[in-house]
Amino acid sequence: VWNFVKRDISSKYVGSLLGLYWSVINPIITLLVYIVVFGVFLQVRIPGNTNIWDFALYFAAGFLPWLAFQDSVMRASRSIIDNKNYIKKVPFPSEIFPVYTTLSEFVNLFIGLGIFFILLLVLKGMPTIYILLLPFAILLQLMFTFSLGFFLSSGAVYFRDIPTMLGPLFMIWFWATPIAYTVTLIPLEFQWIVTINPAYYMLEIYRDVLFYGTIPDIQVIGPFLIFSVVLFILSILFFRKTKSGFGELL
């Protein structure tokens, strides 16, 4: 897995002038665009707070983990198809492919968190002691991402439309999740959408640790922990059940 991750990261920027620096430049540019549009033009603010820089940190604390999550799932969905030569010609544990693509994209999460800490130090100062809970938030996100990766990569072998469908689905999912806006802006009759959205719970854990500097609410961390563990177990069972047909279909 480690060798695949190293090869994947290095192959992304072969022939590129700036190389790995694009992994820093791209999220910074995207952050700036969203902050200008929502913070400056649309005047979105955190309830009870008129400071645009607090909104910028609030947005970054949710958007950067989301970006890594989205890219990881979309790449993992194609991981079996893209590595079909290994599966067809070599006795190879196919579980490695969604795992290594996910871990490779999670490098961008650590880069994004580095960007966030720089912003935090400049705008707010040192984080609280609860920043030590950050590895737990990353672990939960990793488990959730692995689960979707196993389901979708296996399903894509049988239904090739799945990777193509993910682009529009993630666009809908992004706007249905309070990332560029606060949950208080959602009309009461649509609040139920948030309660069934696992990404909301995932990002709220990050925001509690990174932005608010508090222990994540048990009503947030509890459901997401149970959901992630159950989904992870089901995804492994599903993958092992379906992978017997990979060689024939690929």
Side-chain angles (χ1 to χ4, degrees):
V1 171
W2 176 241
N3 287 331
F4 269 105
V5 170
K6 288 194 298 182
R7 187 195 67 172
D8 187 66
I9 293 173
S10 62
S11 66
K12 283 183 184 178
Y13 304 104
V14 172
S16 172
L17 182 63
L18 295 179
L20 192 61
Y21 291 108
W22 283 114
S23 294
V24 179
I25 296 170
N26 286 334
I28 289 177
I29 292 174
T30 310
L31 270 177
L32 289 174
V33 169
Y34 275 101
I35 290 170
V36 168
V37 171
F38 285 92
V40 178
F41 295 163
L42 298 180
Q43 295 289 309
V44 178
R45 295 292 185 272
I46 302 170
N49 189 327
T50 59
N51 191 334
I52 186 174
W53 299 116
D54 281 351
F55 168 76
L57 287 173
Y58 171 88
F59 172 74
F63 178 74
L64 293 170
W66 167 268
L67 195 61
F69 168 68
Q70 173 184 278
D71 292 346
S72 298
V73 173
M74 292 186 70
R75 281 208 60 207
S77 70
R78 293 195 53 85
S79 60
I80 301 297
I81 298 172
D82 290 343
N83 291 281
K84 61 184 178 181
N85 290 335
Y86 285 100
I87 296 172
K88 291 171 67 175
K89 297 179 181 179
V90 185
F92 210 82
S94 50
E95 291 86 351
I96 282 180
F97 301 117
V99 168
Y100 95 76
T101 50
T102 298
L103 292 177
S104 175
E105 290 299 324
F106 258 61
V107 171
N108 292 332
L109 174 61
F110 294 110
I111 293 173
L113 290 174
I115 295 171
F116 179 85
F117 283 126
I118 293 172
L119 288 173
L120 183 66
L121 289 171
V122 171
L123 298 175
K124 303 286 284 187
M126 291 295 293
T128 69
I129 189 67
Y130 299 111
I131 198 69
L132 296 176
L133 295 173
L134 182 59
F136 182 66
I138 295 172
L139 181 62
L140 284 180
Q141 179 179 348
L142 192 61
M143 189 181 300
F144 181 41
T145 309
F146 277 150
S147 302
L148 294 183
F150 284 134
F151 275 122
L152 296 172
S153 63
S154 178
V157 177
Y158 295 86
F159 306 100
R160 298 298 176 94
D161 291 339
I162 287 178
T164 307
M165 291 166 53
L166 287 180
L169 288 176
F170 265 107
M171 181 180 65
I172 296 171
W173 198 356
F174 173 83
W175 293 113
T177 306
I179 300 174
Y181 57 90
T182 62
V183 68
T184 55
L185 293 178
I186 302 175
L188 289 176
E189 60 268 28
F190 296 112
Q191 292 272 339
W192 62 269
I193 296 175
V194 172
T195 63
I196 63 170
N197 183 353
Y200 165 74
Y201 296 92
M202 179 180 74
L203 300 184
E204 281 301 296
I205 295 171
Y206 274 101
R207 283 189 172 129
D208 284 340
V209 172
L210 293 174
F211 178 71
Y212 293 110
T214 60
I215 298 177
D217 193 321
I218 190 64
Q219 294 182 341
V220 172
I221 201 169
F224 188 65
L225 174 61
I226 295 170
F227 175 78
S228 297
V229 171
V230 172
L231 189 68
F232 184 65
I233 294 171
L234 292 176
S235 69
I236 293 175
L237 295 175
F238 178 80
F239 191 91
R240 290 179 176 176
K241 185 73 174 178
T242 56
K243 73 174 185 177
S244 58
F246 289 175
E248 181 181 350
L249 291 170
L250 291 172

